Amino acid sequence: MKSVEIIGYKRANLGKTEAKRLRAEGMVPGVLYGGEEQIHFYAPMILFRELVYTDEAHFINLNVEGQIFEAILQDIQFHPVSEMIVHVDFLQLFRGTKIKMNIPVHPVGTPPGIQQGGKLIKKLRFLTVKALPKDMPEHINIDVSKLGLGKSVKVGDVPAENFEVLNNPLVTIMGIEIPRALRGKSIEGEEEEGEEGEGSEEAAEAPAEG
């Protein structure tokens, strides 16, 4: 898995006023935990673009005033209006210890259902994966090449060789949605068949009543 370098600086003050000042200067307050001690830091917001606005998972090389830590993104908070990053939590990574990460899913192939008028709908953007760092994938390919109208791929259908998927196996990852126009035709067809069936039943019953 690729790594993103974040260059940070130790925070002397941890109050809300100081955090607000840092954000006004284009900095993101953060904390690294999971090691011997928590490390509070701040880093330029521009460095987080490659980490946050991507469809691949990344490890983090956090450089805090010369100290290098391997980490993963554990949590990130955004401002509800401006969507500016307001805080990040990093979890220190140790190569011999399994970790949990949210890994993006990528559809692979052209579903027949799209050619039939359907639309590919992604229900989950990420799968929660547990694995050793060396086995953690950057993304997970989901084969949709055989999906017809109304068909889907569930979590339990994903082959997992060196990692464990923690999501419920019955949950749908992505599938082919049937357009409303096609659903309407299907319903009309069922109604017509139902009316014909009722008529034939009445015809069959008529001689018996006579």
Side-chain angles (χ1 to χ4, degrees), residues 88-161:
V88 294
D89 289 356
F90 288 164
L91 176 66
Q92 191 167 348
L93 182 156
F94 298 95
R95 286 287 169 174
T97 303
K98 288 187 176 183
I99 55 175
K100 290 191 296 184
M101 292 184 69
N102 290 329
I103 304 299
V105 294
H106 291 182
V108 176
T110 302
I114 290 182
Q115 300 173 349
Q116 297 167 348
K119 182 179 180 182
L120 180 65
I121 301 296
K122 186 181 290 188
K123 299 288 187 179
L124 294 180
R125 293 178 56 214
F126 304 93
L127 291 178
T128 302
V129 172
K130 183 177 182 180
L132 289 170
K134 68 180 182 66
D135 296 325
M136 189 65 72
E138 294 180 350
H139 63 266
I140 296 176
N141 289 329
I142 305 298
D143 183 9
V144 297
S145 61
K146 298 179 181 179
L147 294 185
L149 289 174
K151 301 301 182 181
S152 63
V153 178
K154 300 185 182 300
V155 172
D157 300 326
V158 177
E161 297 179 358

Side-chain angles (χ1 to χ4, degrees), residues 31-206:
V31 60
L32 171 71
Y33 60 90
E36 295 180 357
E37 60 178 349
Q38 289 189 359
I39 297 177
H40 295 269
F41 67 93
Y42 64 91
M45 190 175 301
I46 193 172
L47 298 180
F48 291 85
R49 288 182 178 177
E50 190 177 352
L51 180 63
V52 177
Y53 305 107
T54 177
D55 61 352
E56 303 282 352
H58 292 84
F59 291 148
I60 301 158
N61 285 331
L62 177 63
N63 183 339
V64 182
E65 299 181 5
Q67 284 185 287
I68 309 296
F69 305 93
E70 276 196 298
I72 59 174
L73 179 63
Q74 192 72 6
D75 187 34
I76 185 166
Q77 299 173 21
F78 295 90
H79 190 280
V81 177
S82 67
E83 295 188 357
M84 179 179 67
I85 303 172
V86 297
H87 195 273
V88 294
D89 289 356
F90 288 164
L91 176 66
Q92 191 167 348
L93 182 156
F94 298 95
R95 286 287 169 174
T97 303
K98 288 187 176 183
I99 55 175
K100 290 191 296 184
M101 292 184 69
N102 290 329
I103 304 299
V105 294
H106 291 182
V108 176
T110 302
I114 290 182
Q115 300 173 349
Q116 297 167 348
K119 182 179 180 182
L120 180 65
I121 301 296
K122 186 181 290 188
K123 299 288 187 179
L124 294 180
R125 293 178 56 214
F126 304 93
L127 291 178
T128 302
V129 172
K130 183 177 182 180
L132 289 170
K134 68 180 182 66
D135 296 325
M136 189 65 72
E138 294 180 350
H139 63 266
I140 296 176
N141 289 329
I142 305 298
D143 183 9
V144 297
S145 61
K146 298 179 181 179
L147 294 185
L149 289 174
K151 301 301 182 181
S152 63
V153 178
K154 300 185 182 300
V155 172
D157 300 326
V158 177
E161 297 179 358
N162 299 318
F163 58 84
E164 178 185 0
V165 179
L166 301 181
N167 303 73
N168 187 324
L170 300 179
V171 172
T172 297
I173 301 174
M174 56 186 70
I176 304 298
E177 185 180 66
I178 303 175
R180 182 175 299 178
L182 294 181
R183 290 202 301 266
K185 290 180 180 179
S186 176
I187 293 173
E188 290 175 3
E190 290 176 0
E191 289 179 349
E192 290 176 359
E193 289 178 1
E195 290 173 359
E196 291 177 0
E198 290 173 2
S200 61
E201 288 176 3
E202 290 176 0
E205 291 175 358

